Amino acid sequence: MHIKPMDLDEVFKALADPTRRALLDRLHARNGQTLGELCEGLGMSRQAVTKHLGILEAANLVAVLRRGREKLHYLNPVPIHAISQRWISKYEHGRLQALAELKKRLEEDPDGP
């Protein structure tokens, strides 16, 4: 899937905020959460969380599904994948893969490779 550069600008802007990244992490851990569930433990007002979710929705990082009176929020990983393809894979895939493999081996055998 090709995402226009202008759309990627919105994704980067949305990802620039640590609260929005935390919301995405929470959805990654458990998709389909309500606003109330997403607010738990954030120490923010529902209005503030709603504003952040609106920015994530506008960037197409969060999709909303209505179930009765509830709005369920779901992570949409497609824009993040597009960033990976455009900005990471193209330039760093080989090196990152080698580093990931080295990290895995070192974690498995702390005495070294």
Side-chain angles (χ1 to χ4, degrees), residues 14-25 52:
L15 292 173
D17 185 274
T19 299
R20 291 191 285 270
R21 292 192 305 268
L23 287 168
L24 293 175
D25 286 340
H52 284 295

Side-chain angles (χ1 to χ4, degrees), residues 10-27 35 38-39 42-64 71 73-75:
E10 294 303 314
V11 174
F12 278 113
K13 287 177 190 175
L15 292 173
D17 185 274
T19 299
R20 291 191 285 270
R21 292 192 305 268
L23 287 168
L24 293 175
D25 286 340
R26 294 179 83 167
L27 289 173
L35 175 62
L38 288 169
C39 288
L42 283 181
M44 298 176 73
S45 69
R46 289 174 68 90
Q47 184 179 8
V49 174
T50 299
K51 185 175 179 178
H52 284 295
L53 286 171
I55 293 168
L56 292 169
E57 286 178 52
N60 200 28
L61 288 163
V62 169
V64 174
K71 278 176 68 174
H73 300 85
Y74 292 89
L75 173 67

Side-chain angles (χ1 to χ4, degrees), residues 65-90:
L65 177 67
R66 286 201 173 273
R67 185 178 66 191
R69 294 184 331 162
E70 289 184 322
K71 278 176 68 174
L72 301 177
H73 300 85
Y74 292 89
L75 173 67
N76 176 17
V78 173
I80 295 170
H81 179 72
I83 288 171
S84 173
Q85 292 298 301
R86 170 67 174 94
W87 293 101
I88 298 171
S89 296
K90 180 172 153 179

